[in-house]
Amino acid sequence: GAVVSQHPSWVICKSGTSVKIECRSLDFQATTMFWYRQFPKQSLMLMATSNEGSKATYEQGVEKDKFLINHASLTLSTLTVTSAHPEDSSFYICSARDRTKTGYEQYFGPGTRLTVT
Amino acid sequence: AQKVTQAQTEISVVEKEDVTLDCVYETRDTTYYLFWYKQPPSGELVFLIRRNSFDEQNEISGRYSWNFQKSTSSFNFTITASQVVDSAVYFCALSGMDSNYQLIWGAGTKLIIKP
């Protein structure tokens, strides 16, 4: 149980285009989902927290207009990188919190590797 | 404020050696959770263990063991008889009320097991 999927697993796009990454909780309902960014050889950096049906809460320094997050249902959150540039190339990881579980454990997706050319 | 320190950036050992990865944390919460995750080259995070602050019992799972000591704010991870497949980056993380239960991550320790 507690499986989180991400799609796509990797994507290459041209500078100036937008890319959407999906994060799904497959066998549980997630009231809260998190989006992380990870640069090579670095730790995970929390970008934003999204709660189902409400606006995402962005961490300081993360551009809301550039990284659009939508959490439309209890099993799906999307991250759209708008007008992507090479500096947006990174590994993006989502996680989800099971609303029925205690311990505040997060279940992680496999990640999406974005390369902007 | 909460903080997790993994002072060892990279550790390299020969297969079958034992290795300990250190994790030191800071928090003012009385209730908190500590985690270890493994990140192999594929990038997918693998959950290893969760510990709550009220449970200081050490845990062993196969070749893995964890030593939680509140007195020194440490949650160290030991791999016994290391194998090449253990090569990965290992992250220690903390979650507590002070951070609204968001995960506070250490910088990670890259473990290289040489055959």
Side-chain angles (χ1 to χ4, degrees), chain A residues 25-82:
Chain A
S25 56
L26 299 185
D27 50 4
F28 66 97
Q29 292 183 326
T31 47
T32 304
M33 287 186 169
F34 302 87
W35 286 96
Y36 295 88
R37 184 174 183 177
Q38 187 180 30
F39 290 108
K41 299 184 180 182
Q42 292 190 22
S43 188
L44 282 73
M45 182 192 80
L46 179 66
M47 298 175 68
T49 302
S50 75
N51 292 298
E52 185 262 337
S54 61
K55 288 184 179 180
T57 301
Y58 290 81
E59 295 298 303
Q60 194 172 6
V62 177
E63 298 176 60
K64 300 178 184 181
D65 295 332
K66 180 155 192 67
F67 299 100
L68 300 179
I69 292 172
N70 184 282
H71 192 160
S73 76
L74 286 171
T75 59
L76 173 65
S77 177
T78 60
L79 167 66
T80 301
V81 183
T82 61

Side-chain angles (χ1 to χ4, degrees), chain A residues 72-113:
Chain A
S73 76
L74 286 171
T75 59
L76 173 65
S77 177
T78 60
L79 167 66
T80 301
V81 183
T82 61
S83 187
H85 290 284
E87 58 266 29
D88 298 324
S89 298
S90 190
F91 191 54
Y92 293 88
I93 305 172
C94 75
S95 69
R97 186 175 283 166
D98 187 336
R99 65 186 299 190
T100 66
K101 295 272 179 73
T102 59
Y104 299 95
E105 189 167 336
Q106 295 179 27
Y107 302 99
F108 287 85
T112 297
R113 201 165 297 279

